Every structure is written in structure tokens, then in C-alpha cells.
Amino acid sequence: MSFIVFNGELSKRDTITVDIEDRGYQFGDGIYEVVRVYNGCLFTWKEHVERLYASAEKIRMTIPYTMEEMKVMMDKLIEKNQLIEGTIYLQLTRGIAPRNHAFPGSDVQAVLVAYTRLGERPVKLMEEGVDALIIEDKRWLHCDIKSLNLLGNVLAHQEALDAGCYEAILHRDGVITEGSHTNVSIVSDGTVYTHPANNLILNGISRRVMLKACESQSIPFKEEAFTVDQLMRADEVFITSTTLEITPVRRINGQPAGVEGQYPVIRQLQESFTAAIETECGSLR
Ligand code: PMP
């Protein structure tokens, strides 16, 4: 794992340093993606790279590479680090310039960094579920942008960890938005509900894989917001993310979420998720 992509080149990790005037370092002025690698293959790469370019556009940043160039670089990185199972983290910042809130001139290029990380599927969590804590969503109103500014998410996640939970489930005025680093969905009377993909949540790629699975399995679903009350009365609750795929929520604020250990719809969706991975990246066994 000793190679990274730095500004379009593969470099040894320990030869690269971050400039103290990088706008990502000083302002969190940048965007990122985490992409899952199965069998050395970038799962749902197209969706991730398109979201990256959409995030760039929303913050008025120019990415100095094409999507195709980006893919070539990531594939080279995976090959060089011989990554079979894990993730790629990639970020772009608005470049290096003397500290000033104003955007730098067009001569300043975005800085790209990407590295790999080993990691297996969290099978135990996906099987047994995780505990969650409901916390007020105090973040900004552009949660659809995969921004490096994650302080609101970090604080919420830490509050959940301090309470012995795995994830924070966030609400605005009693309406559930998403998790600190996941999307949240419930199953109520056989229908899957998840917050609509607007500015209040990140439109998770795993959320989209899950919704496609609903479609192919003929499980009714609604991209409709639900309340804390509906969450607490749901039959099943689950979170989705690139690394957690589809993971059941076992307890919320210490109360059982649905019936503990009974996740019939979640199990169906997990199977479809695995099938989607295998279609794109080959057999997982
Ligand atoms: N919401 C937030 C706030 C996230 O940070 C993430 C990703 N870690 C997600 C949702 C899930 O997105 P994805 O499925 O694309 O990983």
C-alpha cells in the first residue's frame, strides 16, 4: 500500500508532503470519494466518479483530469499496491495558494491525492447489526456535496461512540435525514422508506444500489422522509454505505429497532447487493 496518486503521478507515499497552504488543509475546501474494491475491481466506479464531478461543479472547482484519466490512474494504483479487497480514498482540493477566503486565480490547479486501504467486508456487522444514537442534525444545508468539511459528521459520530453506539442517526426537527457516515432507511409494513436525495443528505451510491435491489426484488419503496417516531416504530432499520453495504440497526437509543435479529427484508436486500457486486466484479468466494 506504499504508493499513492499525487497530482496525476504514482509516487511513494513517504516522498509526498502536504503543503501548509493547501486549501483542503486550511479551509476543508475540497471534495472526496471512497470507492470499494472487490477482487481488484472498483465497484460502482461510474456512479462515484460522476458524483465527484457533480460535487466539483457545486463548489465551482475544475478537475484537471477527465473521468477516463481518473479511472486509468486508480486502476494503476490498485495494481501497483496489489489491492484485492479494500477501498480507494481520493480527494481533490482547490489547490495551493496564500491563505485567503477568495478563490485563487485560474493558474492554481486542484490537488489530487488518492491512496488505497486494505479492508474486508464487515460480515459480522452486516450479520448482527449495529447500535445507533439519535442526534440533532446540526450540519450545513449542502449535505449533497461530498465535501471535506466533515466536522458536523465527526462530532455527531463521536457523540454516538461515546454513548457506546456505532452510528449517529441524524434528525432535523424530528425528521430523519441520514447517518453521520451512512444513509438510513426503514422498513414499515413491507415498504422501504429513505430520505429523498435532496440537499439534506448525501445521495449514497450504496443507497442507490439498495433502491435498485428493491426494484428488482419487487419490494415497494418510497424516497420519502420519515420521522423519529416512525423510525422507532419501524419493522426493520438499516444503514447503507460503501464500506458497510447494507447493515441492520439493532438498537436505537437503547431500544430494540424492530424485532432484534429478525431482518427479512434486509436479508433479501443484502443478497441482491452481493449479486450486484458479483455481476460487476466477479465471484466473492
Ligand atoms: N451519508 C454520509 C454523510 C456519508 O458520509 C456517506 C459515505 N460515507 C454516505 C451517506 C453513504 O454514501 P455511499 O453509499 O456513497 O458510501
Side-chain angles (χ1 to χ4, degrees):
M1 303 297 134
S2 60
F3 283 85
I4 66 168
V5 169
F6 182 68
N7 282 339
E9 305 287 338
L10 272 181
S11 305
K12 279 217 152 186
R13 187 175 181 145
D14 54 10
T15 63
I16 301 300
T17 50
V18 172
D19 193 302
I20 58 164
E21 289 191 316
D22 188 298
R23 290 178 66 94
Y25 179 60
Q26 293 194 327
F27 295 110
D29 186 358
I31 50 172
Y32 76 106
E33 282 294 327
V34 178
V35 190
R36 193 76 172 84
V37 175
Y38 302 100
N39 294 334
C41 145
L42 286 158
F43 178 58
T44 53
W45 166 257
K46 186 170 177 290
E47 289 79 357
H48 280 281
V49 78
E50 283 176 2
R51 184 171 67 184
L52 182 73
Y53 279 72
S55 290
E57 204 177 319
K58 286 174 189 175
I59 70 161
R60 297 161 61 193
M61 178 198 283
T62 305
I63 298 181
Y65 311 99
T66 63
M67 290 189 195
E68 293 71 30
E69 285 168 339
M70 201 75 93
K71 176 76 162 64
V72 170
M73 279 186 253
M74 297 309 132
D75 280 340
K76 274 193 191 151
L77 178 64
I78 289 172
E79 202 185 317
K80 193 82 182 168
N81 285 340
Q82 297 179 355
L83 183 69
I84 307 295
E85 236 199 287
T87 49
I88 272 201
Y89 174 84
L90 72 102
Q91 72 165 43
L92 284 140
T93 69
R94 205 185 300 275
I96 299 158
R99 188 179 183 282
N100 183 339
H101 285 53
F103 289 177
S106 53
D107 54 320
V108 174
Q109 266 211 349
V111 173
L112 167 68
V113 171
Y115 60 82
T116 57
R117 199 188 246 190
L118 275 174
E120 292 184 355
R121 297 176 85 194
V123 281
K124 194 166 156 31
L125 297 183
M126 294 194 299
E127 179 64 28
E128 293 174 5
V130 296
D131 295 348
L133 186 73
I134 302 173
I135 295 177
E136 190 184 343
D137 193 341
K138 294 181 183 163
R139 302 171 303 158
W140 70 334
L141 297 173
H142 293 289
C143 299
D144 52 318
I145 300 171
K146 204 159 167 64
S147 150
L148 295 180
N149 279 283
L150 288 173
L151 195 51
N153 307 60
V154 167
L155 292 175
H157 189 222
Q158 192 58 46
E159 198 178 325
L161 291 178
D162 291 347
C165 293
Y166 184 88
E167 176 60 312
I169 295 183
L170 308 176
H171 76 91
R172 281 189 202 265
D173 296 325
V175 174
I176 302 298
T177 49
E178 61 179 337
S180 73
H181 63 300
T182 60
N183 290 113
V184 180
S185 305
I186 59 171
V187 185
S188 248
D189 295 327
T191 298
V192 171
Y193 292 83
T194 198
H195 196 284
N198 59 17
N199 64 309
L200 299 182
I201 68 157
L202 182 75
N203 185 0
I205 307 298
S206 326
R207 173 189 177 280
R208 298 185 220 170
V209 174
M210 179 277 294
L211 290 175
K212 270 196 201 158
C214 288
E215 232 166 54
S216 66
Q217 300 264 351
S218 303
I219 297 168
F221 66 92
K222 286 186 180 158
E223 292 182 75
E224 202 176 284
F226 52 89
T227 62
V228 170
D229 199 45
Q230 285 172 293
L231 172 77
M232 298 310 284
R233 285 189 285 108
D235 300 319
E236 296 176 58
V237 178
F238 61 94
I239 53 178
T240 54
S241 82
T242 291
T243 45
L244 291 165
E245 299 178 16
I246 295 175
T247 291
V249 175
R250 195 170 46 187
R251 297 176 79 79
I252 304 170
N253 290 5
Q255 308 285 322
V259 182
E260 195 175 322
Q262 289 192 22
Y263 310 122
V265 176
I266 292 173
R267 295 295 180 230
Q268 236 182 308
L269 292 172
Q270 286 176 324
E271 266 180 40
S272 283
F273 202 102
T274 302
I277 297 168
E278 292 192 326
T279 302
E280 206 174 310
C281 294
S283 170
L284 292 173
R285 272 157 266 281

Short mmCIF file of all heavy atoms in Angstrom, two decimals, residues 226-285:
data_model
loop_
_atom_site.label_atom_id
_atom_site.label_comp_id
_atom_site.label_asym_id
_atom_site.label_seq_id
_atom_site.Cartn_x
_atom_site.Cartn_y
_atom_site.Cartn_z
N PHE A 226 -38.99 10.21 6.80
CA PHE A 226 -39.76 9.64 7.92
C PHE A 226 -39.30 10.29 9.22
O PHE A 226 -38.20 10.86 9.30
CB PHE A 226 -39.62 8.12 7.95
CG PHE A 226 -38.19 7.63 7.92
CD1 PHE A 226 -37.47 7.45 9.09
CD2 PHE A 226 -37.54 7.36 6.71
CE1 PHE A 226 -36.16 7.02 9.07
CE2 PHE A 226 -36.22 6.93 6.67
CZ PHE A 226 -35.52 6.76 7.86
N THR A 227 -40.16 10.21 10.22
CA THR A 227 -39.89 10.92 11.48
C THR A 227 -39.18 9.99 12.48
O THR A 227 -39.11 8.77 12.27
CB THR A 227 -41.21 11.38 12.11
OG1 THR A 227 -41.98 10.21 12.40
CG2 THR A 227 -41.99 12.29 11.18
N VAL A 228 -38.73 10.60 13.56
CA VAL A 228 -38.11 9.84 14.66
C VAL A 228 -39.12 8.80 15.15
O VAL A 228 -38.78 7.64 15.40
CB VAL A 228 -37.70 10.79 15.81
CG1 VAL A 228 -37.29 10.00 17.05
CG2 VAL A 228 -36.57 11.72 15.36
N ASP A 229 -40.37 9.22 15.25
CA ASP A 229 -41.43 8.34 15.72
C ASP A 229 -41.59 7.12 14.79
O ASP A 229 -41.68 5.98 15.24
CB ASP A 229 -42.72 9.16 15.75
CG ASP A 229 -43.74 8.51 16.64
OD1 ASP A 229 -43.34 8.09 17.74
OD2 ASP A 229 -44.92 8.40 16.22
N GLN A 230 -41.61 7.37 13.49
CA GLN A 230 -41.72 6.27 12.50
C GLN A 230 -40.50 5.35 12.58
O GLN A 230 -40.63 4.13 12.45
CB GLN A 230 -41.85 6.83 11.08
CG GLN A 230 -43.23 7.39 10.77
CD GLN A 230 -43.22 8.10 9.43
OE1 GLN A 230 -42.57 9.13 9.26
NE2 GLN A 230 -43.92 7.55 8.45
N LEU A 231 -39.34 5.96 12.81
CA LEU A 231 -38.10 5.18 12.94
C LEU A 231 -38.21 4.22 14.12
O LEU A 231 -37.89 3.02 14.02
CB LEU A 231 -36.92 6.14 13.15
CG LEU A 231 -35.57 5.52 13.49
CD1 LEU A 231 -34.92 4.94 12.23
CD2 LEU A 231 -34.62 6.56 14.10
N MET A 232 -38.72 4.74 15.24
CA MET A 232 -38.80 3.92 16.45
C MET A 232 -39.86 2.82 16.34
O MET A 232 -39.80 1.83 17.05
CB MET A 232 -39.08 4.80 17.69
CG MET A 232 -38.00 5.83 17.98
SD MET A 232 -36.31 5.18 18.03
CE MET A 232 -36.28 4.35 19.61
N ARG A 233 -40.82 3.03 15.44
CA ARG A 233 -41.91 2.03 15.27
C ARG A 233 -41.68 1.12 14.06
O ARG A 233 -42.51 0.26 13.77
CB ARG A 233 -43.27 2.75 15.15
CG ARG A 233 -43.79 3.28 16.49
CD ARG A 233 -45.21 3.80 16.42
NE ARG A 233 -45.30 5.09 15.76
CZ ARG A 233 -45.80 5.29 14.54
NH1 ARG A 233 -46.27 4.30 13.83
NH2 ARG A 233 -45.84 6.51 14.03
N ALA A 234 -40.55 1.31 13.36
CA ALA A 234 -40.31 0.56 12.11
C ALA A 234 -40.13 -0.94 12.39
O ALA A 234 -39.76 -1.34 13.49
CB ALA A 234 -39.06 1.11 11.42
N ASP A 235 -40.40 -1.74 11.37
CA ASP A 235 -40.20 -3.19 11.49
C ASP A 235 -38.72 -3.55 11.36
O ASP A 235 -38.24 -4.49 11.98
CB ASP A 235 -41.00 -3.92 10.41
CG ASP A 235 -42.49 -3.60 10.53
OD1 ASP A 235 -42.98 -3.57 11.67
OD2 ASP A 235 -43.14 -3.35 9.49
N GLU A 236 -38.02 -2.79 10.49
CA GLU A 236 -36.59 -3.01 10.32
C GLU A 236 -35.95 -1.66 10.04
O GLU A 236 -36.57 -0.78 9.41
CB GLU A 236 -36.32 -3.94 9.12
CG GLU A 236 -36.87 -5.35 9.28
CD GLU A 236 -36.65 -6.20 8.02
OE1 GLU A 236 -35.51 -6.37 7.60
OE2 GLU A 236 -37.67 -6.67 7.46
N VAL A 237 -34.73 -1.50 10.50
CA VAL A 237 -33.97 -0.26 10.26
C VAL A 237 -32.60 -0.67 9.75
O VAL A 237 -32.01 -1.62 10.26
CB VAL A 237 -33.82 0.56 11.57
CG1 VAL A 237 -32.99 1.83 11.32
CG2 VAL A 237 -35.18 0.91 12.16
N PHE A 238 -32.11 0.03 8.74
CA PHE A 238 -30.76 -0.31 8.27
C PHE A 238 -30.02 0.92 7.76
O PHE A 238 -30.63 1.94 7.43
CB PHE A 238 -30.78 -1.41 7.20
CG PHE A 238 -31.55 -1.09 5.95
CD1 PHE A 238 -30.90 -0.55 4.84
CD2 PHE A 238 -32.91 -1.33 5.85
CE1 PHE A 238 -31.60 -0.27 3.66
CE2 PHE A 238 -33.62 -1.04 4.69
CZ PHE A 238 -32.96 -0.52 3.59
N ILE A 239 -28.69 0.78 7.73
CA ILE A 239 -27.85 1.84 7.19
C ILE A 239 -27.12 1.30 5.97
O ILE A 239 -26.92 0.08 5.85
CB ILE A 239 -26.85 2.37 8.25
CG1 ILE A 239 -26.04 1.24 8.88
CG2 ILE A 239 -27.56 3.17 9.32
CD1 ILE A 239 -25.01 1.71 9.90
N THR A 240 -26.77 2.21 5.07
CA THR A 240 -26.03 1.80 3.86
C THR A 240 -24.82 2.71 3.67
O THR A 240 -24.89 3.90 3.95
CB THR A 240 -26.91 1.89 2.59
OG1 THR A 240 -27.46 3.21 2.49
CG2 THR A 240 -28.04 0.89 2.59
N SER A 241 -23.74 2.11 3.23
CA SER A 241 -22.57 2.89 2.82
C SER A 241 -21.64 1.99 2.03
O SER A 241 -21.78 0.77 2.03
CB SER A 241 -21.82 3.47 4.03
OG SER A 241 -20.97 2.51 4.59
N THR A 242 -20.66 2.64 1.41
CA THR A 242 -19.69 1.93 0.58
C THR A 242 -18.99 0.82 1.36
O THR A 242 -18.79 -0.27 0.84
CB THR A 242 -18.67 2.97 0.05
OG1 THR A 242 -19.36 3.79 -0.89
CG2 THR A 242 -17.47 2.32 -0.61
N THR A 243 -18.63 1.09 2.60
CA THR A 243 -17.91 0.06 3.37
C THR A 243 -18.86 -0.86 4.14
O THR A 243 -18.55 -2.03 4.34
CB THR A 243 -16.89 0.69 4.34
OG1 THR A 243 -17.52 1.78 4.99
CG2 THR A 243 -15.67 1.18 3.61
N LEU A 244 -20.03 -0.35 4.56
CA LEU A 244 -20.95 -1.17 5.37
C LEU A 244 -21.99 -1.88 4.52
O LEU A 244 -22.77 -2.69 5.06
CB LEU A 244 -21.65 -0.30 6.41
CG LEU A 244 -20.76 0.22 7.53
CD1 LEU A 244 -21.46 1.34 8.29
CD2 LEU A 244 -20.40 -0.91 8.49
N GLU A 245 -22.01 -1.55 3.20
CA GLU A 245 -23.04 -2.11 2.30
C GLU A 245 -24.42 -1.90 2.94
O GLU A 245 -24.82 -0.77 3.14
CB GLU A 245 -22.74 -3.58 2.00
CG GLU A 245 -21.38 -3.75 1.32
CD GLU A 245 -21.03 -5.19 1.03
OE1 GLU A 245 -21.91 -6.07 1.08
OE2 GLU A 245 -19.84 -5.46 0.75
N ILE A 246 -25.12 -3.01 3.27
CA ILE A 246 -26.41 -2.88 3.95
C ILE A 246 -26.26 -3.52 5.32
O ILE A 246 -26.01 -4.72 5.42
CB ILE A 246 -27.53 -3.56 3.14
CG1 ILE A 246 -27.70 -2.83 1.79
CG2 ILE A 246 -28.83 -3.59 3.93
CD1 ILE A 246 -28.70 -3.47 0.85
N THR A 247 -26.34 -2.72 6.35
CA THR A 247 -26.11 -3.22 7.72
C THR A 247 -27.34 -2.92 8.58
O THR A 247 -27.81 -1.77 8.64
CB THR A 247 -24.84 -2.54 8.31
OG1 THR A 247 -23.70 -3.06 7.61
CG2 THR A 247 -24.68 -2.82 9.78
N PRO A 248 -27.88 -3.95 9.26
CA PRO A 248 -29.05 -3.71 10.11
C PRO A 248 -28.71 -2.83 11.31
O PRO A 248 -27.58 -2.86 11.80
CB PRO A 248 -29.43 -5.11 10.60
CG PRO A 248 -28.59 -6.08 9.88
CD PRO A 248 -27.43 -5.35 9.30
N VAL A 249 -29.70 -2.07 11.78
CA VAL A 249 -29.56 -1.36 13.06
C VAL A 249 -30.32 -2.20 14.09
O VAL A 249 -31.50 -2.52 13.90
CB VAL A 249 -30.13 0.07 12.97
CG1 VAL A 249 -30.09 0.74 14.33
CG2 VAL A 249 -29.33 0.89 11.96
N ARG A 250 -29.61 -2.55 15.14
CA ARG A 250 -30.16 -3.48 16.14
C ARG A 250 -30.92 -2.73 17.23
O ARG A 250 -32.03 -3.09 17.60
CB ARG A 250 -28.95 -4.20 16.75
CG ARG A 250 -29.22 -5.42 17.53
CD ARG A 250 -27.92 -6.14 17.83
NE ARG A 250 -26.90 -5.20 18.31
CZ ARG A 250 -25.64 -5.51 18.53
NH1 ARG A 250 -25.20 -6.74 18.30
NH2 ARG A 250 -24.78 -4.62 18.97
N ARG A 251 -30.30 -1.69 17.74
CA ARG A 251 -30.92 -0.90 18.81
C ARG A 251 -30.73 0.58 18.51
O ARG A 251 -29.70 0.99 17.97
CB ARG A 251 -30.28 -1.23 20.16
CG ARG A 251 -30.48 -2.67 20.60
CD ARG A 251 -29.74 -2.97 21.90
NE ARG A 251 -30.44 -2.48 23.08
CZ ARG A 251 -31.47 -3.11 23.63
NH1 ARG A 251 -31.91 -4.24 23.13
NH2 ARG A 251 -32.06 -2.61 24.70
N ILE A 252 -31.74 1.38 18.89
CA ILE A 252 -31.64 2.83 18.74
C ILE A 252 -31.92 3.45 20.11
O ILE A 252 -32.96 3.15 20.72
CB ILE A 252 -32.65 3.38 17.71
CG1 ILE A 252 -32.46 2.68 16.35
CG2 ILE A 252 -32.52 4.89 17.57
CD1 ILE A 252 -33.56 2.98 15.36
N ASN A 253 -31.02 4.30 20.56
CA ASN A 253 -31.14 4.90 21.91
C ASN A 253 -31.44 3.83 22.96
O ASN A 253 -32.23 4.04 23.88
CB ASN A 253 -32.24 5.96 21.94
CG ASN A 253 -31.87 7.20 21.15
OD1 ASN A 253 -30.83 7.23 20.49
ND2 ASN A 253 -32.70 8.21 21.20
N GLY A 254 -30.85 2.65 22.78
CA GLY A 254 -31.03 1.58 23.76
C GLY A 254 -32.30 0.76 23.58
O GLY A 254 -32.51 -0.25 24.26
N GLN A 255 -33.18 1.16 22.66
CA GLN A 255 -34.43 0.42 22.41
C GLN A 255 -34.26 -0.47 21.19
O GLN A 255 -33.61 -0.06 20.22
CB GLN A 255 -35.59 1.39 22.07
CG GLN A 255 -35.80 2.52 23.04
CD GLN A 255 -36.47 2.03 24.32
OE1 GLN A 255 -37.34 1.18 24.27
NE2 GLN A 255 -36.00 2.54 25.44
N PRO A 256 -34.86 -1.67 21.20
CA PRO A 256 -34.74 -2.52 20.01
C PRO A 256 -35.35 -1.84 18.78
O PRO A 256 -36.40 -1.21 18.88
CB PRO A 256 -35.56 -3.77 20.38
CG PRO A 256 -35.83 -3.68 21.83
CD PRO A 256 -35.68 -2.27 22.26
N ALA A 257 -34.65 -1.95 17.64
CA ALA A 257 -35.19 -1.41 16.37
C ALA A 257 -35.90 -2.57 15.68
O ALA A 257 -35.24 -3.50 15.23
CB ALA A 257 -34.05 -0.88 15.51
N GLY A 258 -37.21 -2.53 15.62
CA GLY A 258 -37.96 -3.68 15.11
C GLY A 258 -37.79 -4.85 16.07
O GLY A 258 -37.66 -4.64 17.28
N VAL A 259 -37.76 -6.05 15.52
CA VAL A 259 -37.53 -7.22 16.36
C VAL A 259 -36.08 -7.64 16.18
O VAL A 259 -35.65 -7.95 15.07
CB VAL A 259 -38.48 -8.40 15.98
CG1 VAL A 259 -38.25 -9.59 16.91
CG2 VAL A 259 -39.92 -7.93 16.02
N GLU A 260 -35.33 -7.61 17.30
CA GLU A 260 -33.89 -7.88 17.21
C GLU A 260 -33.62 -9.23 16.55
O GLU A 260 -34.24 -10.24 16.89
CB GLU A 260 -33.27 -7.85 18.62
CG GLU A 260 -31.77 -7.77 18.53
CD GLU A 260 -31.11 -7.61 19.90
OE1 GLU A 260 -31.65 -6.90 20.76
OE2 GLU A 260 -30.04 -8.23 20.07
N GLY A 261 -32.72 -9.20 15.58
CA GLY A 261 -32.32 -10.45 14.91
C GLY A 261 -33.25 -10.86 13.79
O GLY A 261 -32.98 -11.82 13.08
N GLN A 262 -34.37 -10.15 13.61
CA GLN A 262 -35.29 -10.51 12.52
C GLN A 262 -35.24 -9.43 11.44
O GLN A 262 -35.81 -8.36 11.61
CB GLN A 262 -36.70 -10.70 13.06
CG GLN A 262 -36.78 -11.96 13.89
CD GLN A 262 -38.21 -12.36 14.21
OE1 GLN A 262 -39.14 -11.97 13.52
NE2 GLN A 262 -38.37 -13.12 15.27
N TYR A 263 -34.57 -9.77 10.37
CA TYR A 263 -34.34 -8.79 9.31
C TYR A 263 -34.72 -9.36 7.95
O TYR A 263 -33.86 -9.41 7.06
CB TYR A 263 -32.86 -8.36 9.32
CG TYR A 263 -32.32 -7.95 10.67
CD1 TYR A 263 -31.21 -8.60 11.22
CD2 TYR A 263 -32.89 -6.90 11.38
CE1 TYR A 263 -30.69 -8.20 12.45
CE2 TYR A 263 -32.39 -6.50 12.61
CZ TYR A 263 -31.30 -7.17 13.15
OH TYR A 263 -30.79 -6.78 14.37
N PRO A 264 -35.96 -9.79 7.73
CA PRO A 264 -36.28 -10.47 6.48
C PRO A 264 -36.05 -9.63 5.22
O PRO A 264 -35.47 -10.12 4.24
CB PRO A 264 -37.76 -10.86 6.63
CG PRO A 264 -38.28 -10.03 7.76
CD PRO A 264 -37.11 -9.75 8.65
N VAL A 265 -36.48 -8.38 5.24
CA VAL A 265 -36.31 -7.54 4.04
C VAL A 265 -34.83 -7.17 3.88
O VAL A 265 -34.28 -7.22 2.77
CB VAL A 265 -37.21 -6.27 4.11
CG1 VAL A 265 -36.95 -5.36 2.92
CG2 VAL A 265 -38.68 -6.66 4.17
N ILE A 266 -34.19 -6.87 5.00
CA ILE A 266 -32.76 -6.54 4.95
C ILE A 266 -31.97 -7.71 4.35
O ILE A 266 -31.11 -7.50 3.49
CB ILE A 266 -32.22 -6.20 6.37
CG1 ILE A 266 -32.84 -4.89 6.86
CG2 ILE A 266 -30.69 -6.13 6.37
CD1 ILE A 266 -32.53 -4.53 8.31
N ARG A 267 -32.30 -8.92 4.75
CA ARG A 267 -31.56 -10.09 4.22
C ARG A 267 -31.73 -10.22 2.71
O ARG A 267 -30.78 -10.51 1.98
CB ARG A 267 -32.02 -11.39 4.91
CG ARG A 267 -31.71 -11.45 6.39
CD ARG A 267 -30.22 -11.50 6.69
NE ARG A 267 -29.97 -11.56 8.12
CZ ARG A 267 -29.13 -10.76 8.78
NH1 ARG A 267 -28.43 -9.84 8.15
NH2 ARG A 267 -28.96 -10.90 10.08
N GLN A 268 -32.94 -9.96 2.25
CA GLN A 268 -33.21 -10.00 0.81
C GLN A 268 -32.38 -8.95 0.07
O GLN A 268 -31.78 -9.22 -0.96
CB GLN A 268 -34.69 -9.66 0.60
CG GLN A 268 -35.49 -10.70 -0.17
CD GLN A 268 -36.92 -10.20 -0.34
OE1 GLN A 268 -37.57 -9.80 0.64
NE2 GLN A 268 -37.41 -10.18 -1.56
N LEU A 269 -32.33 -7.75 0.67
CA LEU A 269 -31.58 -6.65 0.04
C LEU A 269 -30.08 -6.93 0.07
O LEU A 269 -29.36 -6.62 -0.88
CB LEU A 269 -31.90 -5.32 0.74
CG LEU A 269 -33.32 -4.81 0.55
CD1 LEU A 269 -33.60 -3.59 1.43
CD2 LEU A 269 -33.58 -4.44 -0.92
N GLN A 270 -29.62 -7.53 1.16
CA GLN A 270 -28.19 -7.86 1.25
C GLN A 270 -27.79 -8.86 0.16
O GLN A 270 -26.73 -8.75 -0.45
CB GLN A 270 -27.86 -8.46 2.63
CG GLN A 270 -27.84 -7.42 3.74
CD GLN A 270 -27.61 -8.03 5.11
OE1 GLN A 270 -28.08 -9.13 5.40
NE2 GLN A 270 -26.91 -7.32 5.98
N GLU A 271 -28.69 -9.83 -0.08
CA GLU A 271 -28.41 -10.82 -1.14
C GLU A 271 -28.30 -10.16 -2.49
O GLU A 271 -27.41 -10.46 -3.29
CB GLU A 271 -29.53 -11.87 -1.17
CG GLU A 271 -29.21 -13.09 -0.35
CD GLU A 271 -30.32 -14.12 -0.40
OE1 GLU A 271 -30.90 -14.31 -1.49
OE2 GLU A 271 -30.61 -14.69 0.65
N SER A 272 -29.21 -9.23 -2.76
CA SER A 272 -29.18 -8.51 -4.04
C SER A 272 -27.94 -7.66 -4.16
O SER A 272 -27.37 -7.50 -5.25
CB SER A 272 -30.38 -7.57 -4.16
OG SER A 272 -31.51 -8.27 -4.48
N PHE A 273 -27.52 -7.08 -3.02
CA PHE A 273 -26.32 -6.24 -3.03
C PHE A 273 -25.11 -7.09 -3.41
O PHE A 273 -24.30 -6.71 -4.27
CB PHE A 273 -26.11 -5.61 -1.64
CG PHE A 273 -25.27 -4.36 -1.65
CD1 PHE A 273 -25.85 -3.11 -1.55
CD2 PHE A 273 -23.88 -4.43 -1.76
CE1 PHE A 273 -25.09 -1.95 -1.56
CE2 PHE A 273 -23.11 -3.28 -1.77
CZ PHE A 273 -23.71 -2.04 -1.67
N THR A 274 -25.01 -8.26 -2.80
CA THR A 274 -23.91 -9.17 -3.12
C THR A 274 -23.96 -9.57 -4.60
O THR A 274 -22.92 -9.61 -5.27
CB THR A 274 -23.98 -10.44 -2.22
OG1 THR A 274 -23.92 -10.00 -0.87
CG2 THR A 274 -22.84 -11.41 -2.50
N ALA A 275 -25.17 -9.82 -5.09
CA ALA A 275 -25.32 -10.20 -6.50
C ALA A 275 -24.84 -9.06 -7.40
O ALA A 275 -24.19 -9.29 -8.43
CB ALA A 275 -26.77 -10.56 -6.80
N ALA A 276 -25.15 -7.81 -7.00
CA ALA A 276 -24.72 -6.65 -7.81
C ALA A 276 -23.20 -6.56 -7.84
O ALA A 276 -22.59 -6.29 -8.88
CB ALA A 276 -25.32 -5.36 -7.24
N ILE A 277 -22.57 -6.83 -6.69
CA ILE A 277 -21.09 -6.81 -6.64
C ILE A 277 -20.54 -7.89 -7.57
O ILE A 277 -19.62 -7.64 -8.36
CB ILE A 277 -20.58 -7.08 -5.20
CG1 ILE A 277 -21.03 -5.98 -4.24
CG2 ILE A 277 -19.05 -7.20 -5.19
CD1 ILE A 277 -20.82 -6.33 -2.76
N GLU A 278 -21.13 -9.08 -7.48
CA GLU A 278 -20.60 -10.20 -8.26
C GLU A 278 -20.79 -9.99 -9.76
O GLU A 278 -19.94 -10.39 -10.55
CB GLU A 278 -21.23 -11.51 -7.77
CG GLU A 278 -20.75 -11.83 -6.35
CD GLU A 278 -21.08 -13.23 -5.87
OE1 GLU A 278 -22.16 -13.74 -6.27
OE2 GLU A 278 -20.27 -13.80 -5.11
N THR A 279 -21.89 -9.35 -10.13
CA THR A 279 -22.12 -9.05 -11.55
C THR A 279 -21.03 -8.13 -12.07
O THR A 279 -20.51 -8.30 -13.18
CB THR A 279 -23.51 -8.37 -11.74
OG1 THR A 279 -24.49 -9.26 -11.22
CG2 THR A 279 -23.80 -8.05 -13.18
N GLU A 280 -20.66 -7.15 -11.26
CA GLU A 280 -19.68 -6.16 -11.72
C GLU A 280 -18.23 -6.61 -11.50
O GLU A 280 -17.36 -6.33 -12.34
CB GLU A 280 -19.94 -4.84 -10.98
CG GLU A 280 -19.48 -3.63 -11.75
CD GLU A 280 -19.88 -2.33 -11.08
OE1 GLU A 280 -21.06 -2.16 -10.71
OE2 GLU A 280 -19.00 -1.47 -10.92
N CYS A 281 -17.98 -7.29 -10.40
CA CYS A 281 -16.58 -7.56 -10.01
C CYS A 281 -16.22 -9.04 -9.89
O CYS A 281 -15.10 -9.36 -9.50
CB CYS A 281 -16.28 -6.87 -8.68
SG CYS A 281 -16.34 -5.07 -8.81
N GLY A 282 -17.14 -9.93 -10.21
CA GLY A 282 -16.84 -11.35 -10.16
C GLY A 282 -17.15 -11.97 -8.82
O GLY A 282 -17.47 -11.26 -7.86
N SER A 283 -17.04 -13.28 -8.76
CA SER A 283 -17.45 -14.04 -7.57
C SER A 283 -16.66 -13.64 -6.33
O SER A 283 -15.45 -13.39 -6.39
CB SER A 283 -17.25 -15.53 -7.85
OG SER A 283 -17.42 -16.23 -6.65
N LEU A 284 -17.36 -13.55 -5.20
CA LEU A 284 -16.72 -13.12 -3.96
C LEU A 284 -16.18 -14.30 -3.15
O LEU A 284 -15.58 -14.12 -2.11
CB LEU A 284 -17.70 -12.31 -3.12
CG LEU A 284 -18.07 -10.94 -3.70
CD1 LEU A 284 -19.17 -10.29 -2.90
CD2 LEU A 284 -16.84 -10.02 -3.75
N ARG A 285 -16.47 -15.51 -3.61
CA ARG A 285 -15.99 -16.67 -2.85
C ARG A 285 -14.84 -17.38 -3.50
O ARG A 285 -14.47 -17.10 -4.59
CB ARG A 285 -17.15 -17.65 -2.63
CG ARG A 285 -17.93 -17.32 -1.37
CD ARG A 285 -19.32 -17.87 -1.40
NE ARG A 285 -20.26 -16.86 -1.91
CZ ARG A 285 -20.74 -15.86 -1.16
NH1 ARG A 285 -20.37 -15.73 0.07
NH2 ARG A 285 -21.61 -14.99 -1.65
#
